Amino acid sequence: MRKITITTSLFLCSLFSFAQTRVLYFTDGATIGTDQLAAALTNTGCIVTTATSDLDFQTQIATPTNFDLAVYFAQNNASVNATTAALAGFVSLGNKGMYADWSLDATNGALVGVNFTGNVNETVVTITDTTLTSWITVNPFTIANSGWGTFSYGLLPLAGSTVSGTFASGEAALIRSMSNNMFVFGYLGDATATSEMYEVAINSMFPSAAGVSETAESTFNTTVFPNPATESFTLSIDNLTAKSVEITVTDIQGKVVYSMIENNVSAGFSKQINTTDISKGLYYVNVKSSEGQKTSKLIVQ
């Protein structure tokens, strides 16, 4: 990704600072295709500890304060009850979790709030959860088998769980459970063509790590249009009394792709920003002044 060059006398660092998400990651030692889940953890800036076995996962997660997110994807072997129970116990403390199980073990599924339909190997997923759809740029998306016997499988939500995505058949492909702290995937970590969906899931659980501002409410309003944008978008600011604003555009990893300080701005300020040098994806448009700051989501197509 190329960074847009802006002529200015000041060099702006990222406006966002956050603690990196600490992750315990275990995929029972096997990935045939590209591990898009691992790529997502890297792309979102997580600090990843990779468990080397079920026992190692169980041992490390026994100190839950060491991690913010735990991931257990049973991809090569049947899911292990003690490992699944350890993950569920971790999430029950208010932490975050992600789970997948090709072996469709109903006992283990119940621990994380799901059951299995028994139907397998569907290839089209549509995200339906409105808390996720504004983040994802390709929806529906296609998944593919990298060499497994079972690479996707229908899910059923148990009490307290909700469907976040479906297969073409209408069966659940993604479920949120355990007070929305757990994502259960109906497909494996190397089934997607990109890491985007896993990144969306991680960033939805840790929005501050995705660069979403959590500062005090500002007194001004911002509008970004058109959205999605192709060649450019217009940033409009209303009810602004400050005479100077900082404008940054960051990707979901917090990298700044555009930055500018505008001085002598008026109460009704607007600026057109070129996006032709920005890769397709989800971005955050942040406006900061002495009155506070506002952050808007922007999709570049």
Side-chain angles (χ1 to χ4, degrees):
M1 178 183 296
R2 290 179 291 173
K3 182 176 178 180
I4 300 175
T5 301
I6 301 297
T7 302
T8 179
S9 60
L10 295 175
F11 176 77
L12 295 180
C13 297
S14 173
L15 296 175
F16 307 114
S17 62
F18 50 85
Q20 288 178 287
T21 303
R22 302 163 302 164
V23 182
L24 179 61
Y25 178 58
F26 181 50
T27 60
D28 72 8
T31 301
I32 295 177
T34 301
D35 190 344
Q36 301 292 359
L37 176 53
L41 294 171
T42 298
N43 292 342
T44 51
C46 296
I47 300 173
V48 181
T49 300
T50 301
T52 57
S53 65
D54 284 277
L55 181 58
D56 184 36
F57 182 91
Q58 295 162 28
T59 299
Q60 295 208 54
I61 207 172
T63 308
T65 54
N66 287 347
F67 306 102
D68 307 300
L69 168 66
V71 179
Y72 174 33
F73 270 39
Q75 301 195 147
N76 188 50
N77 305 306
S79 60
V80 173
N81 181 256
T83 305
T84 309
L87 173 65
F90 174 81
V91 175
S92 70
L93 298 174
N95 301 304
K96 311 296 183 181
M98 298 170 68
Y99 181 78
D101 177 15
W102 75 271
S103 65
L104 317 185
D105 189 298
T107 300
N108 291 337
L111 292 173
V112 295
V114 304
N115 204 338
F116 303 92
T117 67
N119 296 322
V120 300
N121 295 348
E122 292 199 56
T123 58
V124 178
V125 176
T126 300
I127 300 304
T128 57
D129 186 340
T130 56
T131 64
L132 304 176
T133 53
S134 61
W135 297 57
I136 191 166
T137 61
V138 179
N139 190 32
F141 56 89
T142 301
I143 59 177
N145 189 1
S146 61
W148 304 105
T150 298
F151 69 98
S152 71
Y153 38 86
L155 301 172
L156 287 170
L158 299 181
S161 301
T162 57
V163 175
S164 292
T166 60
F167 290 114
S169 65
E171 294 185 354
L174 179 65
I175 286 177
R176 293 195 80 157
S177 63
M178 302 189 69
S179 300
N180 284 335
N181 289 325
M182 176 79 77
F183 272 113
V184 181
F185 287 85
Y187 51 89
L188 302 184
D190 58 1
T192 57
T194 72
S195 61
E196 182 183 50
M197 186 59 240
Y198 302 111
E199 292 175 22
V200 167
I202 294 165
N203 286 330
S204 71
M205 290 190 287
F206 301 98
S208 61
V212 177
S213 170
E214 295 183 345
T215 60
E217 184 66 18
S218 62
T219 58
F220 58 87
N221 300 309
T222 60
T223 305
V224 172
F225 64 92
N227 193 4
T230 52
E231 296 182 353
S232 66
F233 70 92
T234 297
L235 170 65
S236 177
I237 308 174
D238 297 317
N239 301 321
L240 182 68
T241 59
K243 298 302 182 182
S244 177
V245 294
E246 295 176 342
I247 303 169
T248 60
V249 180
T250 65
D251 64 16
I252 61 175
Q253 302 170 42
K255 296 178 182 177
V256 177
V257 299
Y258 174 94
S259 61
M260 172 62 81
I261 291 180
E262 293 284 349
N263 295 308
N264 300 316
V265 298
S266 60
F269 172 84
S270 66
K271 183 178 183 63
Q272 187 178 60
I273 298 174
N274 190 348
T275 60
T276 55
D277 286 336
I278 301 179
S279 301
K280 295 179 181 179
L282 174 67
Y283 294 85
Y284 300 94
V285 181
N286 189 78
V287 178
K288 183 179 181 180
S289 78
S290 59
E291 303 170 36
Q293 68 181 38
K294 286 276 191 178
T295 302
S296 303
K297 295 176 184 177
L298 170 71
I299 295 175
V300 176
Q301 293 184 338

